[in-house]
Amino acid sequence: MRACTACWPILLLAAGTAHAATFVVTSNVDTFDGSCDANCSLRDALWGAEQTPGADILRLSHPYYRLTEAGGPTGRGQLLISDALVLRGLPERSTIDVNGIDRGFEIVGARVEMIDLTLRNGRGEGQGGAIYNAGDLTLRRVWVIGNRVVPDVDGRVDGGGIFNVGQLRLVACRIERNIARDDATLIGGRGGGIFSDRGHAVYVYDSAIRGNATGLDDISGFGAGMFNLGQARIDRSFFGDNDPGDGEGAAIANRNGASLVLINSTLSNNGHDGADSALANGTLTVTGEASPKANAVNSTIANNNGGGVLNSGRLTLRQSIVAGNYTQDAGDRWYDAGFNCRSELGGTVTQFSSLLGADGNCPAQIFVDNRSVFSTVLEHLRYLGGPTPVHKPRPGPYAIDGGDPDFCPAVDQRAQSRPADGDGNGVAVCDIGAMEVQPGE
């Protein structure tokens, strides 16, 4: 078995990092007097950490915090972090409810780690509903839920959950029901869950990005789950129920010279009547953009409304499944409308041991009837032991042990070992797609 050449290291804050001070938030009332004493609010603790150089620790002692101050040390409702910090909630997670008064956090030039938090009800202008990251940010077991970004004076609507112009890492996170869109002016946005800008990087591991939106009927948005202009790697993760309205890239839009690696991940149930593709590597609607590059390794893109893949850049499919995607009109599903996987405007597709629904113009090793995918190739989406749902391959001559005998990532989406002898013939070969069927499974 050859090592997966697409696998990049997970970079987290080192366990041995020296910390300057520890601050314990003892009050869940949103006040600010600049003193973290016996009555220490979240704003007081953050202010104290800002005044103490070095990597401080800030611990929350309550399950719920509701922001109400439209002021504080920054003169705004948002919480500013500009010095190294570890912000830790309770083991069962602490919720910071921004209450719609502002964006949740702005991180500027600092190395920050947030652990065991839920960030909800942020409302940012232009860039970032919950978080604006211009630092080096790691989120571990953080849920970013129900945040929104609305247009600023320049008309930008980017990053309903997170806007990234730094380094961003997500480990075991949920990015859900965030919105980058303005209903009053009918402006669609980019990156309902995450927006990552040019020259910057985002890494997503063991996470779910679902239910985010950038558009509506007759409102075009882009990259409802993620909009990437920089460098992105997504590993062992799930994108589902993301909605770009009538735009492109229901799950992911990879645009304008960007680079994307999608490995051991599933894109399913994304899209909207009028949407175009779950994964958009490039665009058909904006001219003059540089060609992006996407590499899908052992991933499954299935059952998405608006099609599976749209490519106008450079796309590599390795041991991946793009099948059972459809377009919908007035309640009728069309599995043979040419949208399952298509490459346009000079885009190129290279494939290695991949399986596609026979509808579109992308190459593959195995083609199947796109209309019968869920009776012959894949089971419907469900949880099978991992943190995110998968499409289990059905028995038969398609996905199980159908990959390259000389290439296989070490694990699948559920972190189960690859390769495995899923068909019981005594030979372990990598399965095609995000899930590796184990013996007896």
Side-chain angles (χ1 to χ4, degrees):
M1 179 181 69
R2 189 168 76 242
C4 176
T5 57
C7 295
W8 303 344
I10 301 177
L11 301 175
L12 298 177
L13 293 182
T17 299
H19 298 286
T22 297
F23 297 85
V24 179
V25 179
T26 58
S27 171
N28 65 348
V29 179
D30 188 23
T31 59
F32 174 70
D33 62 16
S35 178
C36 190
D37 48 22
N39 185 32
C40 182
S41 72
L42 177 56
R43 291 186 194 274
D44 291 334
L46 283 171
W47 177 250
E50 288 287 295
Q51 308 310 305
T52 309
D56 302 308
I57 297 175
L58 194 156
R59 296 185 181 276
L60 304 182
S61 54
H62 293 81
Y64 182 78
Y65 297 80
R66 185 171 185 261
L67 302 188
T68 58
E69 286 282 311
T74 64
R76 298 183 60 185
Q78 70 176 6
L79 303 170
L80 175 68
I81 303 176
S82 60
D83 191 31
L85 182 72
V86 176
L87 174 57
R88 183 183 292 273
L90 296 174
E92 60 271 22
R93 249 182 320 279
S94 295
T95 294
I96 299 175
D97 184 344
V98 186
N99 192 30
I101 64 173
D102 206 331
R103 177 189 298 125
F105 286 89
E106 181 171 348
I107 297 162
V108 181
R111 194 178 191 195
V112 176
E113 188 169 11
M114 297 185 180
I115 305 169
D116 294 330
L117 299 174
T118 297
L119 309 179
R120 63 168 66 247
N121 295 329
R123 186 180 187 276
E125 290 188 4
Q127 299 171 321
I131 298 174
Y132 179 101
N133 175 50
D136 185 333
L137 174 63
T138 297
L139 303 180
R140 284 202 277 176
R141 299 184 300 276
V142 173
W143 296 1
V144 179
I145 298 180
N147 303 278
R148 188 176 196 123
V149 66
V150 297
D152 60 10
V153 294
D154 297 318
R156 295 174 297 192
V157 195
D158 297 333
I162 304 171
F163 182 87
N164 178 54
V165 283
Q167 299 286 323
L168 174 66
R169 306 171 192 88
L170 280 68
V171 183
C173 292
R174 287 169 52 176
I175 312 297
E176 298 183 356
R177 301 193 305 277
N178 304 286
I179 298 174
R181 183 186 69 221
D182 186 53
D183 297 342
T185 58
L186 304 183
I187 296 176
R190 303 182 297 177
I194 300 170
F195 180 104
S196 191
D197 212 347
R198 186 177 305 177
H200 303 282
V202 57
Y203 308 94
V204 180
Y205 303 92
D206 302 302
S207 296
I209 299 177
R210 53 189 165 196
N212 305 286
T214 55
L216 283 171
D217 286 330
D218 301 321
I219 301 178
S220 294
F222 300 92
M226 175 187 292
F227 189 98
N228 178 49
L229 290 173
Q231 178 180 335
R233 176 193 167 91
I234 299 159
D235 198 346
R236 301 186 303 273
S237 293
F238 172 73
F239 286 69
D241 301 308
N242 298 292
D243 183 3
D246 290 348
E248 297 169 338
I252 304 170
N254 191 55
R255 296 273 293 273
N256 203 5
S259 175
L260 168 70
V261 173
L262 181 71
I263 181 169
N264 288 320
S265 295
T266 295
L267 279 55
S268 182
N269 292 346
N270 300 282
H272 179 100
D273 291 1
D276 197 338
S277 73
L279 169 61
N281 184 49
T283 177
L284 299 182
T285 59
V286 180
T287 60
E289 289 195 350
S291 177
K293 179 174 65 176
N295 186 6
V297 180
N298 279 95
S299 291
T300 299
I301 303 173
N303 199 41
N304 296 286
N305 185 358
V309 173
L310 163 66
N311 174 60
S312 64
R314 293 172 293 164
L315 172 66
T316 299
L317 300 173
R318 182 182 286 273
Q319 289 182 171
S320 290
I321 297 173
V322 183
N325 301 286
Y326 60 92
T327 60
Q328 188 163 332
D329 182 27
D332 295 323
R333 291 190 175 188
W334 303 91
Y335 287 90
D336 54 359
F339 291 100
N340 185 66
C341 183
R342 60 196 175 112
S343 192
E344 308 281 353
L345 300 180
T348 61
V349 181
T350 305
Q351 75 84 29
F352 302 91
S353 303
S354 288
L355 184 154
L356 269 62
D359 180 59
N361 63 353
C362 299
Q365 181 184 39
I366 303 170
F367 285 100
V368 297
D369 177 9
N370 201 48
R371 295 166 294 182
S372 62
V373 166
F374 293 103
S375 60
T376 61
V377 181
L378 295 173
E379 295 183 3
H380 286 285
L381 196 69
R382 59 191 173 119
Y383 287 89
L384 289 170
T388 53
V390 293
H391 287 286
K392 180 182 179 181
R394 292 182 179 274
Y398 299 112
I400 297 178
D401 285 12
D404 184 346
D406 297 321
F407 178 90
C408 201
V411 297
D412 72 352
Q413 182 176 321
R414 305 172 300 160
Q416 295 292 310
S417 295
R418 291 187 189 263
D421 182 17
D423 60 5
N425 68 352
V427 180
V429 180
C430 206
D431 292 351
I432 301 174
M435 176 178 169
E436 183 80 8
V437 176
Q438 304 295 311
E441 205 170 28

